[in-house]
Amino acid sequence: LHYDWGLRAIKSVLVVAGGFKRAEPDLAEDALLMRALRDFNIPKIVREDEVVFFGLLGDLFPGIDPPRKRDEDLESYVIQACKKLGND
C-alpha cells in the first residue's frame, strides 16, 4: 500500500487547516494543524496503519488531541437513511 505524502498532499492539508482557522480563529495553531492532518488523512489510511499514523502525530504534537469537528446535521441524515434501509 502506498500513501501520497508529496507536496500536493501537504498543500491539501494546509488548505484544510486554513479553513479550520477561518472557522475557529481562537483555536491554537498546533491543535488546528494536528486536527487537519488527522481528519484529512484518517479516511485514506487502512486500519492496520492507523497505529503508526497516530504514533507519528503523537510524536509531532505531544499531548495535543483536539476534538473532532462534527457535522451533526449530516450525522442525523445518515442515521435516518440507515434506519430507512433497515440498518439500525
Side-chain angles (χ1 to χ4, degrees):
L1 195 56
H2 170 76
Y3 296 110
D4 178 14
W5 304 112
L7 291 177
R8 281 182 293 148
I10 293 170
K11 180 184 181 284
S12 298
V13 169
L14 292 175
V15 168
V16 169
F20 287 167
K21 184 65 175 176
R22 285 186 291 281
E24 298 179 66
D26 297 332
L27 186 64
E29 288 190 6
D30 53 353
L32 186 135
L33 185 56
M34 191 275 196
R35 181 198 286 172
L37 284 165
R38 180 192 64 201
D39 294 355
F40 184 78
N41 286 296
I42 285 301
K44 302 174 191 175
I45 295 176
V46 296
R47 184 155 313 274
E48 294 83 17
D49 292 341
E50 284 183 5
V51 172
V52 174
F53 181 72
F54 281 117
L56 290 170
L57 283 181
D59 290 345
L60 291 170
F61 303 97
I64 298 174
D65 188 19
R68 293 191 182 280
K69 188 73 172 172
R70 295 176 57 189
D71 185 338
E72 294 179 12
D73 289 335
L74 176 62
E75 287 182 28
S76 69
Y77 291 131
V78 169
I79 290 168
Q80 288 174 21
C82 289
K83 286 181 180 177
K84 258 186 176 177
L85 295 172
N87 296 322
D88 39 331

